[in-house]
Each structure stands twice: as structure tokens, then as C-alpha cells.
């Protein structure tokens, strides 16, 4: 019998700390439901004490999710932990994940606490958390640069206080696999009552070693891995969930563990997270990249045709490729539309909302004959912008681009309910569109990123544009989709502006394992 490897997904917490990747409550709920469909063991829903919005998101996920454990991160402070406890209260299974830094540089420079004070605070934190749940996880932030003797000491203390999971984070991605495995093995051997807890790892990818370090730790005795969809996360990201799960499954000969993940839900999860956050997946990304199962070389193609396993160690269909088949067309009815949205985990708030979304669906079906799940996801994301958040709205647009002539854009917007129009020239039609918008709104924001991706295949595919804007230290991504890429660009720009205007953008707290 193999041990169970617990998959702890932190896309909604650490993943959201990627610049511009802030998500609304509804977007987090959609991702959480997909993680539940994928049978992820633990969903870290957020950092409840960070803001009222984070608290509400964690609480909404705790109410909605029934099969996975819902977790909230908390610093080792009574106020943080109380906020987390209140947020996870509705969960069928709730966990509080509390942490404090343990490396000499963090204790001295950031916490300004002595090692004795850090141990005392950690023990107090476990006691506060146990008032809300018996499922308490403790992380030693920057464990990868901490002294081993001190880790042994603090882990012994928090286990005695009642922690059930001990997390060893490589917070700054400093470790290498052999070293990290040795650290895990030494801790498990030296910490009293180590067999009474689950040992966990949380690795960052600053040196490109997050997955390798995590897998080395699993072989050394770790039985929980903290990871994210697409490797999303702060700085260079976190260990990629899909790579961890498929490595353990594919190399069952060397890993003494198995997961309960439904791997056919991996690609749908990857696409959903990419679309919501605006972070595209690189084509050569393992498992979920567009080229992950493509074969260009004639030698490879010949081998695969003769026997798949000559060049493929996994089947594309096992991770969900090809699962998003054509579902709807222009003749599809309202009930079929509603049913497919439910299957995709998209909630319909009211009949009025459904009617409006169905009308948009019919408009899209007139433009392209085949409507895929990704099209519906993009359409419903646009619908999720509520009127009170839509300060800027695109009413009409006209673009002119001709060889040898300067491109021109004419834009008509609703700004706070008032119609305004502007024309502008640019180096291209997209540049002209952005300049026309700015001549109306005068936002003063800086364009950090402009990215275009096709949502589905075919020349009639919708183009999905991501725009990242920065203003006064706040960074926000906006997305827009349309069969006309210039219109999609204008929508994305306005989407980012609306989020900035509504105060939805915030500096993500740079805290956590």
C-alpha cells in the first residue's frame, strides 16, 4: 500500500500574489469549484486578515466547498488567527495555516525578535488556532535558510502544542534538491513525535527548482506538497501542481505515494486559471502547454505512430487534453446554455443575468459557428463585471488601418453614465485605441503588459487580450475577449481601468511561506 500524498493548492492565496493576478470573489469561487472537481485535498482560499474582500472570499469558499478542506493563512497573531477562524467557520472541513519566520535574517531584520520569543509566539499561535479547529498547520517561514537545530526546537514545541501539519517552506527558492531532501530527512529523524504529524513542503521557483525540491522532499518523507495551478505565484512562482501530480503518477516506480487527484481535470483547471488571472501558459510548459504533446520531428512522429510510448510517457487525454469538446452552437437553446454553465461551475445570479448572458452568447454564435467551453468562460467573465464596477463602458468603436496611412481609432465610452467620444492616431490600431481611451479618461496609468492569446483554435477564434496597468503603486490586470482583436484590446484596457477605479486593485501582502 502506498502512502497518500496530500495535494495542498495555494493558487487562490500565494498564486494571487503574482503582480496583477488579483481575483474577485466570484472568480475565486469558480477556481475553487474546479479544484474541488479535481479532488484537491486542501484549498488555501486566501489570507483572511489581509482585507475585508479576502475575508469574504475565504468565507464564500468555505460555504461552497464540501469535499475539500478549506484553509486560511494567518500570521502568528491572535487577531489574524481569529479572522481566519471566523472565515472558515462554515466549512465542512476547515484548517488554519499559521506561520512565523525562523531564519536568522528574518528574525533579526524583519521580526526584530529573539529565537526564544519566536518559539513562544509560535506556540501561542497554535493555541489560538485550536480554539477554532483541530486541523492546524504550522509553517516556519524561510525554513530553507534557517538553522536546523532551531527548526528542530520550534517544530517540537508546536507539535506539543497541537499542530497537525508541519510545513517546511523554501520561501525564497534558495535550496537545491539533494540539500532540501537532507533537511527533510534530518527533521523527521530528529524532531520528537515526528510520526504524529504530516510533513509538508512549500517551494518557490526562484532558481527553477520548486518542483524538483518538492519531489526530492517527497522521497525523503514529506506527505503534503503545497503547489499552484500553472506554477502561479509570487516572483518566479511556486511548485506546479500539474507537474507534481503527474510526476508521482508517471514515476510510480520511485515514488512511494499516490494522490487522489482526477488528472483529467488538470487542463481545464489550467485554462480557467490562465483566463481569470490573465497569465498565459507558455506553449512548452510541461503537462499543460499547447506543445506538451506535440511532435514536430519526423523521427518522433514515426515512433509515436508505431507505438505511442516510444516518445510519450503520458497520454494527453489523461490530463484533460481534448476534453473541452464543442458544446453549443447558434441553434442551441437557453436551457442547454444554462446547463453547460452549471457544468462549468459558473453560477447564474438571476433570470435577468441569464437572459443577458444568453443574448451575448447568441451574438457570439453569429460570429463564430463553434462555441467551446473556453468561449463560454470568457463570455461569462465579461458578464461578471457588475454595473456598479463598470464606471467605463465601451459603447461604440471604429478603427481604420491602411498600408502607408497612420492608423486611427474612434472610441465612444460611457463614463459614469455620460457618453464621451474621442479619436486618436497611433503606431497601430491598438495603440490608437488606447490613446483614444486615455484622451477621455486621463487615468495617468502606466501600461506594463499587453498580451494576446487565441482562446480556441480556428481563424474565427476569439482573441483574449490581457492588459496590465499600474497606477500609484497598484497593479491590475484586465481581460477582454472578442473575435475582433482590437475590440478585445479596448475591452481589456477598460476592464483594468474599472478595477483600478473601483479600488479592487491592492498591493498584495508580501507575506506567507
Amino acid at each position: 500500500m502506498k502512502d497518500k500524498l496530500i495535494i495542498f493548492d495555494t493558487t487562490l492565496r500565494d498564486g494571487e500574489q503574482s503582480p496583477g493576478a488579483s481575483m474577485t470573489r466570484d472568480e475565486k469561487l469558480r477556481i475553487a469549484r474546479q479544484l474541488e472537481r479535481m479532488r484537491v485535498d486542501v484549498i488555501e482560499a486566501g489570507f483572511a486578515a489581509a482585507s475585508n474582500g479576502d475575508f469574504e472570499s475565504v468565507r464564500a469558499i468555505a460555504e461552497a466547498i464540501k469535499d475539500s478542506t478549506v484553509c486560511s493563512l494567518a500570521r502568528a497573531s491572535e487577531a489574524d488567527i481569529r479572522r481566519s477562524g471566523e472565515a472558515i467557520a462554515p466549512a465542512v472541513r476547515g484548517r488554519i495555516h499559521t506561520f512565523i519566520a525562523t531564519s536568522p535574517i528574518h528574525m533579526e531584520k524583519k521580526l526584530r525578535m529573539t529565537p526564544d520569543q519566536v518559539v513562544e509566539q509560535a506556540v501561542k499561535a497554535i493555541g489560538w488556532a485550536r480554539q477554532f479547529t483541530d486541523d492546524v498547520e504550522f509553517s516556519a517561514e524561510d525554513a530553507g535558510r534557517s538553522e536546523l537545530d532551531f527548526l528542530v526546537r520550534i517544530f517540537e514545541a508546536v507539535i506539543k502544542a497541537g499542530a497537525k501539519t508541519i510545513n517546511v517552506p523554501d520561501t525564497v527558492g534558495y535550496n537545491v534538491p539533494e540539500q532540501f531532501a537532507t533537511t527533510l530527512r534530518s527533521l523527521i529523524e530528529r524532531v520528537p513525535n515526528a510520526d504524529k504529524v504530516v510533513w509538508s513542503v512549500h517551494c518557490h521557483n526562484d532558481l527553477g527548482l520548486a518542483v524538483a525540491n518538492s519531489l526530492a522532499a517527497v522521497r525523503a518523507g514529506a506527505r503534503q506538497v503545497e503547489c499552484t495551478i500553472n506554477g502561479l505565484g509570487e516572483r518566479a512562482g511556486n511548485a506546479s501542481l500539474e507537474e507534481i501530480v503527474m510526476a508521482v503518477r508517471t514515476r510510480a516506480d520511485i515514488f512511494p505515494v499516490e494522490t487522489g487527484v482526477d488528472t483529467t481535470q488538470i487542463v481545464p483547471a489550467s485554462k480557467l486559471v490562465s483566463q481569470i488571472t490573465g497569465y498565459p501558459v507558455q506553449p512548452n510548459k510541461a503537462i499543460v502547454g499547447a506543445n506538451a504533446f506535440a511532435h514536430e520531428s519526423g523521427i518522433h512522429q514515426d515512433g509515436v505512430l508505431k507505438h505511442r510510448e516510444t516518445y510519450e510517457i503520458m497520454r494527453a487525454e489523461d490530463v484533460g487534453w481534448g476534453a473541452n469538446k464543442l458544446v453549443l452552437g447558434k441553434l442551441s437553446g437557453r436551457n442547454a446554455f444554462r446547463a453547460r454553465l452549471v457544468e462549468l461551475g459558473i453560477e447564474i445570479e438571476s433570470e435577468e443575468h441569464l437572459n443577458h448572458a444568453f443574448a451575448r452568447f447568441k451574438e457570439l454564435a453569429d460570429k463564430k459557428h463553434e462555441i467551446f467551453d473556453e468561449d463560454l468562460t470568457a463570455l461569462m467573465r465579461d458578464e461578471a463585471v457588475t454595473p456598479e464596477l463598470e464606471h467605463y463602458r465601451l459603447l461604440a468603436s471604429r478603427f481604420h488601418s491602411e498600408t502607408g496611412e497612420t492608423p486611427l481609432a474612434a472610441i465612444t465610452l460611457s463614463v459614469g453614465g455620460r457618453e464621451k467620444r474621442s479619436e486618436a492616431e497611433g503606431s497601430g490600431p491598438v495603440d490608437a485605441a488606447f490613446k483614444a481611451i486615455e484622451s477621455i479618461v486621463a487615468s495617468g496609468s502606466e501600461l506594463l503588459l499587453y498580451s494576446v492569446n487565441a482562446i480556441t483554435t480556428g481563424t474565427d477564434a476569439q482573441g483574449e487580450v490581457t492588459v496590465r496597468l499600474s497606477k500609484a503603486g497598484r497593479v491590475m490586470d484586465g481581460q477582454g475577449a472578442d473575435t475582433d482583436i482590437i475590440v478585445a484590446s479596448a475591452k481589456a484596457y477598460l476592464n483594468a481601468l474599472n478595477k483600478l477605479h473601483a479600488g479592487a486593485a491592492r498591493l498584495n501582502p508580501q507575506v506567507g511561506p
Side-chain angles (χ1 to χ4, degrees):
M1 290 289 292
K2 290 194 170 189
D3 289 345
K4 169 74 178 292
L5 179 63
I6 298 167
I7 298 299
F8 178 114
D9 182 274
T10 184
T11 304
L12 300 176
R13 199 277 299 172
D14 206 331
E16 196 191 21
Q17 290 180 205
S18 302
S22 292
M23 300 169 240
T24 66
R25 189 193 73 159
D26 289 342
E27 288 170 341
K28 288 185 176 183
L29 269 171
R30 286 169 56 196
I31 292 175
R33 288 193 175 96
Q34 177 60 30
L35 294 174
E36 185 178 38
R37 277 194 291 274
M38 195 162 57
R39 297 205 294 268
V40 163
D41 299 291
V42 183
I43 300 172
E44 190 165 53
F47 180 38
S51 69
N52 288 334
D54 270 29
F55 176 87
E56 293 301 331
S57 294
V58 174
R59 190 169 181 86
I61 292 168
E63 290 172 347
I65 298 303
K66 306 303 179 189
D67 297 331
S68 303
T69 296
V70 177
C71 174
S72 175
L73 184 72
R75 288 167 296 199
S77 77
E78 187 173 9
D80 268 28
I81 290 169
R82 183 184 305 111
R83 198 72 170 144
S84 288
E86 292 168 354
I88 65 165
V92 175
R93 285 178 296 278
R95 173 182 295 189
I96 293 176
H97 179 190
T98 187
F99 71 95
I100 195 167
T102 56
S103 64
I105 188 171
H106 275 242
M107 289 190 288
E108 179 186 351
K109 303 297 184 183
K110 185 181 78 171
L111 298 180
R112 300 175 188 260
M113 295 170 69
T114 66
D116 288 346
Q117 290 172 323
V118 169
V119 173
E120 181 183 0
Q121 191 69 17
V123 170
K124 286 180 179 178
I126 302 303
W128 293 323
R130 290 190 67 196
Q131 295 175 18
F132 298 95
T133 176
D134 288 333
D135 191 350
V136 179
E137 176 173 341
F138 174 78
S139 281
E141 186 185 8
D142 204 22
R145 294 188 296 174
S146 298
E147 295 173 349
L148 190 63
D149 288 346
F150 183 65
L151 288 178
V152 170
R153 178 187 171 193
I154 196 168
F155 287 154
E156 177 183 5
V158 295
I159 291 172
K160 186 175 180 180
K164 297 293 178 64
T165 300
I166 300 297
N167 188 45
V168 185
D170 185 21
T171 303
V172 293
Y174 182 71
N175 281 234
V176 297
E178 184 178 356
Q179 172 197 9
F180 199 53
T182 298
T183 297
L184 257 293
R185 199 172 288 112
S186 298
L187 288 170
I188 293 171
E189 290 172 355
R190 292 181 55 187
V191 173
N193 296 311
D195 60 330
K196 302 293 194 300
V197 297
V198 174
W199 288 87
S200 170
V201 289
H202 176 116
C203 297
H204 280 264
N205 206 39
D206 298 72
L207 293 176
L209 295 170
V211 170
N213 283 335
S214 299
L215 293 173
V218 169
R219 297 194 70 193
R223 290 299 177 263
Q224 175 178 284
V225 172
E226 305 194 358
C227 43
T228 61
I229 302 295
N230 299 336
L232 195 68
E234 196 167 345
R235 302 187 313 278
N238 289 57
S240 165
L241 180 147
E242 56 274 10
E243 293 175 26
I244 295 290
V245 169
M246 293 311 295
V248 167
R249 171 174 164 152
T250 304
R251 294 306 311 273
D253 56 322
I254 64 169
F255 289 105
V257 295
E258 58 188 5
T259 75
V261 170
D262 178 357
T263 61
T264 64
Q265 294 296 325
I266 285 176
V267 168
S270 169
K271 291 182 177 181
L272 179 63
V273 169
S274 177
Q275 289 171 357
I276 285 177
T277 62
Y279 271 66
V281 177
Q282 67 192 61
N284 61 330
K285 167 76 168 66
I287 316 299
V288 294
N291 295 344
F293 294 90
H295 299 278
E296 182 70 18
S297 163
I299 295 174
H300 286 214
Q301 290 172 346
D302 179 65
V304 169
L305 288 172
K306 290 175 178 175
H307 189 71
R308 181 188 60 82
E309 292 181 359
T310 54
Y311 287 102
E312 286 189 358
I313 59 173
M314 298 169 284
R315 297 193 312 164
E317 54 267 35
D318 287 346
V319 297
W321 282 110
N324 288 340
K325 58 186 181 300
L326 171 69
V327 292
L328 297 171
K330 64 186 297 182
L331 299 179
S332 297
R334 191 167 170 277
N335 286 337
F337 176 71
R338 183 209 293 266
R340 190 58 193 151
L341 293 182
V342 171
E343 289 177 19
L344 291 173
I346 299 173
E347 282 193 344
I348 304 297
E349 297 175 1
S350 64
E351 286 300 309
E352 182 182 2
H353 185 210
L354 176 65
N355 292 337
H356 193 257
F358 185 62
R360 290 281 310 281
F361 161 71
K362 285 294 189 180
E363 291 174 9
L364 179 60
D366 284 336
K367 295 179 182 178
K368 63 191 304 273
H369 300 297
E370 300 178 338
I371 308 297
F372 293 85
D373 289 351
E374 296 92 336
D375 293 312
L376 295 178
T377 300
L379 183 149
M380 295 308 295
R381 186 178 58 247
D382 286 346
E383 286 296 306
V385 179
T386 56
E388 60 269 21
L389 293 180
E390 199 172 21
H391 184 70
Y392 305 109
R393 184 160 56 92
L394 181 65
L395 298 178
S397 59
R398 179 171 56 84
F399 309 105
H400 177 79
S401 182
E402 184 177 344
T403 304
E405 299 291 331
T406 302
L408 175 72
I411 296 288
T412 303
L413 301 180
S414 170
V415 181
R418 296 177 59 188
E419 187 172 313
K420 296 187 178 184
R421 186 179 185 278
S422 179
E423 292 186 0
E425 295 181 337
S427 59
V430 172
D431 182 48
F434 289 177
K435 286 178 176 175
I437 292 171
E438 275 299 322
S439 69
I440 296 173
V441 305
S443 72
S445 58
E446 179 186 1
L447 178 64
L448 301 181
L449 173 73
Y450 174 78
S451 174
V452 181
N453 289 280
I455 292 178
T456 55
T457 57
T459 55
D460 65 347
Q462 287 194 95
E464 184 170 59
V465 174
T466 298
V467 167
R468 182 171 301 156
L469 298 181
S470 173
K471 182 180 180 181
R474 296 183 300 166
V475 178
M476 181 54 63
D477 280 1
Q479 288 88 37
D482 199 276
T483 51
D484 185 327
I485 201 64
I486 308 172
V487 173
S489 301
K491 287 181 177 179
Y493 198 93
L494 291 170
N495 182 241
L497 287 177
N498 278 320
K499 291 177 180 178
L500 285 170
H501 181 269
R506 61 178 174 81
L507 285 174
N508 291 313
Q510 304 300 302
V511 297

